[in-house]
Amino acid sequence: MEKIIKIGLAFLMFGCLLDMPYGYYQLMHFIALISFAVLAYQASQQSRQTEMFIYGALALLFQPFFKIALGRELWNIVDVIVGVGLLVSLAKNNKK
């Protein structure tokens, strides 16, 4: 389940680089909130405190209820960093 969530989130993050309607970004933020909350819960169940903190912080960053105005360019950078980070964490977990 964790692999599917990470791959799906990475594709959503990279999709933000395209010129999409505003509704896409709202939906992506809502899906990211739920997905990062699930990943944080799974990490806490497996006693991975650092990952739990990171996923919790990302859930707060991407939550759609209180907008964080970073500007399009900065959001694009954040989206790429988070998307690459998700894929790297997936690759690291596969090596174990």
Side-chain angles (χ1 to χ4, degrees), residues 76-91:
N76 283 344
I77 293 169
V78 169
D79 292 335
V80 169
I81 290 171
V82 171
V84 169
L86 286 167
L87 295 177
V88 167
S89 73
L90 190 62

Side-chain angles (χ1 to χ4, degrees), residues 48 51 89-96:
R48 300 182 319 214
E51 286 183 39
S89 73
L90 190 62
K92 278 184 144 180
N93 288 345
N94 282 341
K95 288 183 180 180
K96 292 179 184 179

Side-chain angles (χ1 to χ4, degrees), residues 39-94:
L39 290 173
Y41 176 76
Q42 288 178 347
S44 72
Q45 294 298 310
Q46 298 171 0
S47 298
R48 300 182 319 214
Q49 299 301 318
T50 304
E51 286 183 39
M52 181 190 72
F53 176 76
I54 292 170
Y55 292 137
L58 288 172
L60 290 175
L61 176 65
F62 283 99
Q63 56 80 28
F65 305 112
F66 300 103
K67 303 290 184 207
I68 299 174
L70 297 179
R72 176 137 173 111
E73 295 82 20
L74 192 53
W75 270 116
N76 283 344
I77 293 169
V78 169
D79 292 335
V80 169
I81 290 171
V82 171
V84 169
L86 286 167
L87 295 177
V88 167
S89 73
L90 190 62
K92 278 184 144 180
N93 288 345
N94 282 341

